Amino acid sequence: MGQKGSSGLYRAVSAFGIVGFVRFLEGYYIVLITKRRKMADIGGHAIYKIEDTNMIYIPNDSVRITHPDEARYLRIFQNVDLSSNFYFSYSYDLSHSLQYNLTVLRMPLEMLKSETTQTRQESFDIFEDEGLITQGGSG
């Protein structure tokens, strides 16, 4: 089956990352990246393509009823081909554009901190211009 460690546990699977968790009728499954291929480097950050995944059921003692539709939902979910055009990086945010990422990388840390603080301090009272009294203000 798997490799036995000194603790008596068996290695069920080796993985490069977690795609996520999914829940059907009988409980949760974890979706793991089991095969990857390096596709590019962006500014020293490796970009990988998912080549293969593995879905493992997470046992739960509170779920004791087997549902007849569980296998059907599993088949439907497994029809999603995660090895087709799914990319990830351990150190680079693929959800933003290259332009945004380069801007953030070049921005000094102090500037980023002050930007976040300024955003929080720029709040305003929508009733102030109407002359209405708000809870903490005199109008």
Side-chain angles (χ1 to χ4, degrees):
M1 180 168 166
Q3 298 173 338
K4 185 175 181 180
S6 59
S7 64
L9 298 175
Y10 287 93
R11 179 186 305 247
V13 67
S14 292
F16 294 103
I18 299 172
V19 174
F21 294 85
V22 64
R23 181 174 187 252
F24 298 121
L25 304 168
E26 293 179 14
Y28 288 91
Y29 295 82
I30 185 170
V31 183
L32 301 170
I33 301 167
T34 54
K35 189 177 177 187
R36 67 180 185 185
R37 181 167 29 128
K38 187 174 179 181
M39 299 300 289
D41 271 313
I42 299 177
H45 301 275
I47 310 299
Y48 298 95
K49 179 182 186 294
I50 295 175
E51 293 283 314
D52 199 13
T53 59
N54 191 2
M55 195 157 92
I56 300 173
Y57 177 71
I58 301 171
N60 184 351
D61 289 339
S62 66
V63 179
R64 301 204 186 269
I65 304 165
T66 51
H67 200 282
D69 290 332
E70 183 79 5
R72 189 174 122 237
Y73 289 136
L74 272 169
R75 278 192 310 276
I76 291 169
F77 184 80
Q78 289 172 339
N79 281 335
V80 176
D81 187 8
L82 293 174
S83 67
S84 173
N85 300 320
F86 279 86
Y87 298 88
F88 72 97
S89 176
Y90 297 111
S91 59
Y92 185 81
D93 187 356
L94 293 173
S95 67
H96 286 106
S97 68
L98 176 63
Q99 180 180 4
Y100 176 85
N101 286 341
L102 289 177
T103 305
V104 170
L105 289 174
R106 289 185 182 163
M107 204 178 280
L109 185 59
E110 295 79 27
M111 195 173 184
L112 280 172
K113 285 181 182 175
S114 68
E115 232 181 52
T116 325
T117 309
Q118 285 175 359
T119 307
R120 289 188 195 132
Q121 292 172 351
E122 290 174 1
S123 63
F124 61 94
D125 187 346
I126 60 171
F127 299 109
E128 187 176 69
D129 292 337
E130 302 296 324
L132 299 172
I133 299 173
T134 57
Q135 282 181 334
S138 57

